[in-house]
Amino acid sequence: MTDFRPRTFCWIGGVRGPAPQILFDDPRVGCEGLQILASIRLEPTDTRSLDQLARDCPAPSVETI
């Protein structure tokens, strides 16, 4: 990622199980309907891709959801 806006990596609940997502911390973007299972705040200098973040921060287990 090359955008330096504040953002958060999270796992959201989906029909087929947890799905990785990057959310930009922007009040104009509505995220009210998302079921966030786990999240970590990303540093502005973090350049990992969505796939890399999903590998580095695995989804929560079914027992913890």
Side-chain angles (χ1 to χ4, degrees):
M1 304 208 80
T2 57
D3 195 335
F4 293 111
R5 293 181 291 170
R7 59 200 193 286
T8 301
F9 170 77
C10 61
W11 285 95
I12 58 171
V15 175
R16 297 184 178 168
Q21 182 72 43
I22 294 176
L23 300 177
F24 287 94
D25 301 339
D26 188 338
R28 298 172 294 175
V29 178
C31 299
E32 297 83 18
L34 295 179
Q35 178 189 11
I36 297 177
L37 306 173
S39 66
I40 59 166
R41 183 104 164 104
L42 298 175
E43 295 295 324
T45 55
D46 197 334
T47 58
R48 292 178 285 178
S49 69
L50 183 61
D51 290 336
Q52 290 170 324
L53 287 164
R55 277 192 301 271
D56 294 346
C57 311
S61 66
V62 174
E63 294 83 33
T64 60
I65 296 175

